[in-house]
């Protein structure tokens, strides 16, 4: 028995893995990773895998980055953790100062959580509580886009719309208002992204006109709907939405947990619309992919609605045990140093162009409906019929074929259903991008062959998207 198999058997005896049907591992080997370096992950038998998805979109400057490593090592000898209620520490103060300085003007206060879903819950609770403090307890509903994803805790699921993650738990979810997404995948023939996104805003305008008296906030993933299949839309939608939220007296929450810190081509996606949301949720790349940390930034207007004498009970009584953990803040500070010192956003422009050119040929593939890109995120959508964009039945798990082929070739590509995507660390080289394009092309050829190896129930949950 090889080392990988030994570790796999020990794992399967005690672990329950996230976003996984564990029975899959009766046929699909689990891969134990011993070490990482740069874009590479290495298993216990020495095989390497290029991490094309940044280990669930968190890693930006490579695994075992020496600059981030050193910052954490220095911090651990000083302070590992301290309660953030009534106490503070240098890393969290410095990080907050830098986040306020680098985010859009008007975001002046940082509230910390442990992960992306928790950060969404912070923003939702703050908005809801704000309206209570302002004498508007009737404003308690949230508006969200179809096909959106904001996490897997209860409130975060409530403002999501990917059935695979929400359908089972419908009885637990909040009553939210769903508005059609400005996703440009289904735009009419010959119509550009901007025109389509403008046209789709009419539904949001009508919703806010009818329901603003009972709506606390609108929440969106700006520019890219990640878990919904890397669907993309034009920044004009965000500009129109900010104007409408101002007109109707509704908060705007931007979930930049996946798209913040350079993924869309600018440091934050909201910059491309020239707007400031009322709440900006950040996580994932915030620590360079090292430690759990999330920051919800908001305005003085929101902060001041809670600032009062204690007996008024206006305080925001929300907490996490590891809020503002010094080690995580140290990793975040090192990550921000690299952004400042290495011209990352500018360097990414060349990498994004290489991603586009390396995959351009796939636009002509008979089973590829679209190759789309925003900044350092590129997605390739496989379909059963190209002309009509008829999707493959999700039960066929075409993306799983791409995943398995990529592992054989030494790449970690984890498709979203039938959507193959690149979301690599920013330290990837042009040659490594070419390798990923080659592997993806081979995998797509294999996955789109007519025969599939699984039985497909014809009428079972047709709207589901398998996570790969």
């Amino acid at each position: 028995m090889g080392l990988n198999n030994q570790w796999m058997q020990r794992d399967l005896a005690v672990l329950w893995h996230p976003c996984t049907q564990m029975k899959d591992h009766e046929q699909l080997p689990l891969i134990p990773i011993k070490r990482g370096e740069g874009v590479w992950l290495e298993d216990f038998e020495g095989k390497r895998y290029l991490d094309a998805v940044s280990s669930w979109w968190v890693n930006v400057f490579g695994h075992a980055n020496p600059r981030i490593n050193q910052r954490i090592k220095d911090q651990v000898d000083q302070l590992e953790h301290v309660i953030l209620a009534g106490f503070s520490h240098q890393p969290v103060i410095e990080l907050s100062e830098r986040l306020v300085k680098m985010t859009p003007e008007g975001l002046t206060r940082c509230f910390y959580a442990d992960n992306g879903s928790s950060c969404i819950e912070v923003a939702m609770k703050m908005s809801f509580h704000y309206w209570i403090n302002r004498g508007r307890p009737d404003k308690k509903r949230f508006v969200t886009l179809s096909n959106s994803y904001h996490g897997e805790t209860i409130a975060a699921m409530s403002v999501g719309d990917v059935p695979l993650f929400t359908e089972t738990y419908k009885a637990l979810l909040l009553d939210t208002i769903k508005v059609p997404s400005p996703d440009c995948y289904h735009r009419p023939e010959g119509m550009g992204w901007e025109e389509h996104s403008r046209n789709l805003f009419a539904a949001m305008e009508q919703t806010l006109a009818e329901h603003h008296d009972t709506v606390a906030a609108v929440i969106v993933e700006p520019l890219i709907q990640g878990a919904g299949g890397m669907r993309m839309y034009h920044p004009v939608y965000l500009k129109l939405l900010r104007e409408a939220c101002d007109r109707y007296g509704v908060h705007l929450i931007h979930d930049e947990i996946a798209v913040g810190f350079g993924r869309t081509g600018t440091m934050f996606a909201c910059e491309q619309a020239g707007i400031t949301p009322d709440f900006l949720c950040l996580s994932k790349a915030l620590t360079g992919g090292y430690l759990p940390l999330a920051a919800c930034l908001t305005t003085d207007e929101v902060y001041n609605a809670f600032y009062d004498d204690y007996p008024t009970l206006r305080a925001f009584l929300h907490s996490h045990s590891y809020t503002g953990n010094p080690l995580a803040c140290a990793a975040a500070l090192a990550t921000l140093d690299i952004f400042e010192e290495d011209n990352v956003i500018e360097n990414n422009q060349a990498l994004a162009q290489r991603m586009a050119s390396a995959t351009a040929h796939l636009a002509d593939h008979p089973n590829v409906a679209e190759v789309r890109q925003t900044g350092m995120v590129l997605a390739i959508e496989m379909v059963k019929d190209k002309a009509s964009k008829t999707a493959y039945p999700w039960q066929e798990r075409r993306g799983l074929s791409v995943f398995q082929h990529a592992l054989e070739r030494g790449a970690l590509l984890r498709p979203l259903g039938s959507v193959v995507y690149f979301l690599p660390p920013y330290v990837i080289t042009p040659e490594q991008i070419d390798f990923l394009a080659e592997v993806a092309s081979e995998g797509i050829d294999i996955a789109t062959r007519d025969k599939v190896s699984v039985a497909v129930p014809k009428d079972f949950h047709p709207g589901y998207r398998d996570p790969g």
Side-chain angles (χ1 to χ4, degrees):
M1 182 183 295
L3 284 175
N4 281 347
N5 196 38
Q6 291 179 40
W7 283 106
M8 179 181 72
Q9 295 305 325
R10 289 174 64 177
D11 175 293
L12 295 176
V14 292
L15 265 71
W16 189 344
H17 286 264
C19 207
T20 299
Q21 171 49 261
M22 292 300 294
K23 190 174 182 180
D24 281 353
H25 288 306
E26 291 182 6
Q27 290 84 33
L28 182 67
L30 185 75
I31 299 174
I33 296 299
K34 182 177 182 180
R35 63 185 298 271
E37 183 179 8
V39 299
W40 297 102
L41 297 166
E42 184 177 309
D43 67 22
F44 281 80
E45 296 176 1
K47 183 171 181 178
R48 298 202 305 169
Y49 306 87
L50 201 158
D51 188 355
V53 298
S54 296
S55 287
W56 254 344
W57 320 347
V58 300
N59 190 289
V60 283
F61 297 127
H63 298 281
N65 183 287
R67 291 150 79 177
I68 304 176
N69 288 359
Q70 190 60 52
R71 191 67 172 261
I72 295 172
K73 290 174 183 177
D74 293 343
Q75 182 59 44
V76 79
D77 288 331
Q78 295 183 18
L79 177 67
E80 84 300 338
H81 186 61
V82 64
I83 184 174
L84 206 63
F87 287 78
S88 192
H89 55 83
Q90 182 177 341
V92 78
I93 295 169
E94 292 181 350
L95 178 58
S96 301
E97 290 172 341
R98 292 179 69 174
L99 289 175
V100 166
K101 184 178 180 180
M102 70 189 298
T103 52
E105 185 176 357
L107 296 171
T108 57
R109 299 286 173 173
C110 299
F111 192 99
Y112 290 94
D114 296 353
N115 58 69
S117 296
S118 297
C119 193
I120 296 299
E121 304 249 350
V122 166
M124 292 176 67
K125 286 178 66 176
M126 276 187 178
S127 177
F128 169 81
H129 197 164
Y130 169 93
W131 293 113
I132 291 176
N133 287 353
R134 290 296 190 218
R136 295 293 307 276
D138 49 321
K139 290 174 73 66
K140 57 188 177 183
R141 301 184 74 191
F142 292 88
V143 176
T144 186
L145 299 177
S146 62
N147 197 43
S148 57
Y149 175 90
H150 298 285
E152 292 170 37
T153 49
I154 298 300
M157 277 197 300
S158 297
V159 290
D161 189 46
V162 178
L164 179 65
F165 301 109
T166 61
E167 187 71 19
T168 301
Y169 309 103
K170 282 175 66 175
L172 302 178
L173 304 184
L174 304 175
D175 176 27
T176 57
I177 302 171
K178 303 292 193 296
V179 173
S181 168
D183 161 25
C184 291
Y185 177 67
H186 289 295
R187 67 191 183 280
E189 183 80 22
M191 182 176 289
W193 280 30
E194 180 173 356
E195 183 181 1
H196 180 72
S197 294
R198 280 185 179 275
N199 290 345
L200 266 291
F201 187 74
M204 178 66 77
E205 177 77 35
Q206 181 178 351
T207 296
L208 291 179
E210 293 178 0
H211 299 287
H212 65 274
D213 285 340
T214 60
V215 169
V218 178
I219 181 169
V220 296
E221 299 163 273
L223 303 186
I224 303 174
Q225 293 185 295
M230 296 298 167
R231 294 291 179 81
M232 303 175 184
Y233 60 95
H234 195 276
V236 71
Y237 190 91
L238 301 176
K239 183 176 177 63
L240 295 171
L241 181 56
R242 174 72 277 180
E243 294 169 353
C245 286
D246 288 341
R247 279 200 316 276
Y248 291 111
V250 170
H251 287 147
L252 175 57
I253 302 171
H254 269 207
D255 174 357
E256 296 219 17
I257 290 159
V259 300
F261 299 101
R263 283 293 176 196
T264 64
T266 50
M267 185 61 80
F268 302 107
C270 53
E271 295 176 34
Q272 296 186 37
I275 65 166
T276 300
D278 298 293
F279 301 91
L280 178 63
C281 296
L282 304 173
S283 190
K284 290 192 181 287
L286 174 59
T287 65
Y290 269 69
L291 289 163
L293 185 69
C296 177
L297 280 84
T298 191
T299 64
D300 278 342
E301 165 66 23
V302 172
Y303 176 81
N304 290 335
F306 294 81
Y307 196 89
D308 207 338
D309 295 327
Y310 184 83
T312 66
L313 297 180
R314 289 174 178 264
F316 187 59
L317 301 181
H318 179 101
S319 64
H320 300 270
S321 300
Y322 285 94
T323 294
N325 175 260
L327 299 177
C329 290
L333 287 166
T335 299
L336 297 187
D337 284 344
I338 297 173
F339 272 108
E340 288 186 4
E341 296 166 8
D342 289 10
N343 297 315
V344 174
I345 302 300
E346 294 80 0
N347 293 338
N348 280 357
Q349 293 174 1
L351 294 174
Q353 291 174 3
R354 186 62 164 252
M355 287 166 63
S357 61
T359 56
H361 65 282
L362 287 168
D364 296 325
H365 192 285
N367 293 103
V368 170
E370 183 175 65
V371 180
R372 53 183 174 269
Q373 183 176 10
T374 298
M376 286 293 289
V377 181
L378 184 140
I380 306 151
E381 184 130 357
M382 299 184 292
V383 290
K384 184 175 182 179
D385 182 75
K386 188 182 185 81
S388 64
K389 294 185 176 179
T390 301
Y392 284 110
W394 68 267
Q395 299 92 337
E396 293 181 3
R397 306 185 75 179
R398 301 275 175 161
L400 185 61
S401 297
V402 179
F403 175 70
Q404 291 175 298
H405 174 74
L407 290 179
E408 292 173 4
R409 288 291 314 273
L412 168 51
L413 281 171
R414 184 181 167 92
L416 291 156
S418 295
V419 177
V420 180
Y421 70 92
F422 300 170
L423 202 152
Y426 302 157
V427 294
I428 195 170
T429 67
E431 293 75 21
Q432 289 165 346
I433 290 172
D434 292 344
F435 166 69
L436 286 180
E438 178 181 297
V439 171
S441 298
E442 295 169 352
I444 289 168
D445 283 342
I446 293 169
T448 55
R449 291 172 181 164
D450 289 340
K451 294 182 180 179
V452 292
S453 59
V454 295
V456 182
K458 291 183 178 180
D459 301 314
F460 183 70
H461 297 311
Y464 273 43
R465 178 186 299 280
D466 191 284

